Amino acid sequence: MRWPKGLDGLCYGGDYNPEQWPEEVWHEDVRLMREAGVNLVSLGVFSWARLEPAEGVHDFGWLDRVLDLLHEGGIRVNLATPTASPPPWFSLAHPDALTVTAGGSRLTHGSRDTYCVAAPPYRAACARIARALAERYADHPALAMWHVHNEYGTWCHCDHVAAAFRAWLRRRHGALEALNDAWTTAFWSQHYSAWEQVMPPRATQYLPNPSQVLDFRRFLSDEMLDHFREQKAILRELTPDVPVTTNFVFGDWVPVDQWKWAQEVDLVAIDHYPGENPPEETAFAADLARGWARGRPWLLMEQAVVTYTGPRMVAKRPGEITRLSLSHVARGSRGVMFFQWRASRGGAELWHNGMVPHAGPDSRIFREIRDLGALLPTLAEACEAPVTATAAILWDTEAGWALQSPGFPSTEVNYLDAVRQAHRVLYRHGVTADMVHPSADLSSYDLVIVPSLYLVSDETAAGLRRYAETGPGTLLVSFLSGIADEHARIRLGGYPGALRDLLGIRVEEFHPIGDPVTLDTGDTASVWTEHVHLAGAEALARYPDGTPAITRHGRALYLSTRLDDDAYARLLGLGPAVTVETVRRGDRLFVINHGDEEREIPGSLLLPPGGYAVVGIPGGSPAIPPSETM
Ligand code: GAL
């Protein structure tokens, strides 16, 4: 991890897009930023058309003035390379660099992210603008950090991608016959007799090949990572001391393996936009970011002053911006950043709102932004100790991709849902979890959960066996773990192939279900059931037909179905549900009351509805006294 020099404590700010506004507004911006305690802004994320109005013609004058103004205001800059949104002139000059969908439509400019990451003209143009920016601003005192691109994740299926995919496949598989074997192309007459026949998974008549789809995601992740590395190398050459990062976004559709990427960025940064249940989703995202950062500090690069709930974009309730920000900070973020500083008056995201809303600074939102800016510096000391987590949840991006296998027996099974449930149950019972890579050292955890880890390597299986045999705590493996090898081929001889011995079971058949069934424990099982045979394990719960549903083998539990959250918690023997969020950092406890009722917290303190505190352990003396009602 590298942290920007001279940026002490927690950082605070957001995406700043001043090119939307006349220059007089910039002066008001800096004044309000100072008032709000902003010390870092992400600048120029989508400024390519303004910076390079025609090929090779640069206009840096306006950005010089913005950087100078910010510097005068004592605000540092997280300067972006603007490559996520090429200008219209670029797309018209290089139509081969536009995104092509799986169905073969070539998209056109008019939005953003409409590029092909493998297109040589795009790569060259990205390298040129990154170099021009670094040359211009290498010595600018405001420059704190580089923000490469924005939310990598664009899919493309064009001929450039096809060529790059083949080159990647040659490196991965070596010989064409190895690829044929890995992809089981003997089925459906898919055997390839020349590399040129291999394509990206473009639209086709019926089910695509699952191993091809999985390899394509791996390829996209690596191809985008190359694009990131190219820019990073240029920035490093010209500004060796300035950290380089990019903002991760995650979701089922994102072809980015964050574990791999996290080793390439100087600082893990995430964007987070919660939906239906902001506190739980925030805790999950923050723990995931800390996981990718392998326990080192990371940064919440974007959040909003609104939430997206189903069909609606809703302003966060009074105090909610603060509480969710505190949750990120408590879980390891070295600051709080937003999208965006000032709400746009036009353009595609005019309704997204900002730290300065359409109503201007005389608004509830700006007042809360200002108060949060005053609060954050008081938390810096409490954030020095690492987060204490007693449980680990295995997270593997590739396993999630593999579980999206075309033709899967149930469309209701979802990796993210399984992982989120494990996290949510622990969260609701006051257990802080680390999200860990399957190869992580598990030996310090009291509890390890392996939710639906469909694709498992032999090494991961060995690590889990080691934990079950010698680790200090309980291992819970849930359905659809250990099923496939690295090429998404089934491990034969009974499920879950890689983990049968460890779990002392053998699963003969899968039975996805529509209507839930009741287990002999009274718990409800839904979505997925299995025909489990005991092979050393004992049954803890049985299906109505008497076959085992939940088993125990030594310290290893196996859950062959989806339980509701309460039953899941009972299976893990968790204590009572908690009413406030708590996160321990060394001898401090962050406590956040997301609810509508007053709560008693450690140290016999009362936390008002929506309040928060940082208390010392074990004395319970308040380091940050309980806040007033928010
Ligand atoms: C993020 C993105 C921002 C902005 C924001 C709000 O995903 O990085 O540029 O679009 O969402 O919608």
Side-chain angles (χ1 to χ4, degrees), residues 256-269:
V256 165
D257 183 347
Q258 293 91 353
W259 286 123
K260 244 189 191 177
W261 280 66
Q263 295 169 29
E264 303 279 343
V265 294
D266 290 328
L267 175 75
V268 167

Side-chain angles (χ1 to χ4, degrees), residues 15 45-46 112 150-151 247 249 271 273 302 308 339 349 352:
D15 275 40
V45 180
F46 294 107
R112 65 175 185 188
N150 190 66
E151 293 190 340
N247 46 343
V249 60
D271 295 350
Y273 293 94
E302 286 182 26
Y308 298 92
F339 182 90
E349 294 197 317
H352 184 76

